[in-house]
């Protein structure tokens, strides 16, 4: 939710020659993981159960639970929709991938 920090991180990744499409995929996957974590947490699953369901370790799930608390399920859903639409737009040539990442960072 910190737009300035998001821009700084994005710029650092691009300066390090990371592939913009890979960054976009990673951001999308992160929001999907946060959404899934939030849903499992709301259903009352324990960290170890969530880790098994999400295919990760329980200490990672703890971190994701902390991050997911900063968002509502609706906010995460909107972020995921934005990421997917920006991914589609960049793959069809309607928008430059770097510009798509900037839009996501601003959103």
């Amino acid at each position: 939710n910190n737009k300035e920090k998001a821009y700084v991180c994005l710029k650092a990744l691009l300066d390090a020659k990371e592939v913009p499409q890979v960054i976009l995929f990673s951001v999308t996957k992160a929001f999907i993981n946060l959404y899934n974590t939030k849903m499992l947490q709301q259903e009352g699953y324990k960290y170890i159960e969530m880790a098994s369901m999400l295919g990760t370790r329980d200490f990672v799930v703890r971190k994701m639970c902390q991050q997911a608390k900063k968002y509502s399920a609706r906010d995460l859903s909107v972020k995921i929709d934005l990421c997917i639409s920006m991914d589609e737009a960049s793959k069809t040539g309607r928008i430059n991938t770097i510009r798509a990442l900037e839009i996501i960072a601003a959103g």
Side-chain angles (χ1 to χ4, degrees):
N1 281 340
N2 186 334
K3 294 174 187 176
E4 290 178 25
K5 188 174 181 179
Y7 277 116
V8 169
C9 290
L10 176 59
K11 176 101 171 84
L13 288 169
L14 294 172
D15 288 345
K17 304 293 184 205
E18 290 293 332
V19 179
Q21 194 62 41
V22 172
I23 299 169
L24 180 54
F25 170 80
S26 298
V27 169
T28 304
K29 185 168 172 41
F31 281 123
I32 290 169
N33 285 338
L34 284 176
Y35 180 82
N36 290 336
T37 301
K38 186 159 199 76
M39 294 298 98
L40 291 172
Q41 191 176 26
Q42 287 178 352
E43 291 178 23
Y45 287 98
K46 298 185 184 326
Y47 292 132
I48 197 89
E49 296 168 321
M50 289 192 285
S52 176
M53 295 169 135
L54 296 170
T56 190
R57 305 285 303 259
D58 61 326
F59 69 90
V60 174
V61 171
R62 289 179 207 272
K63 288 277 190 185
M64 288 194 301
C65 285
Q66 290 171 350
Q67 292 174 355
K69 286 180 183 177
K70 298 176 184 177
Y71 298 96
S72 70
R74 175 82 177 120
D75 288 341
L76 289 170
S77 180
V78 168
K79 298 268 189 199
I80 292 167
D81 289 343
L82 177 61
C83 288
I84 291 170
S85 68
M86 290 295 105
D87 183 51
E88 180 184 336
S90 71
K91 287 179 179 174
T92 58
R94 289 182 285 146
I95 192 169
N96 177 292
T97 306
I98 294 172
R99 181 66 186 131
L101 288 166
E102 290 170 345
I103 290 169
I104 292 168

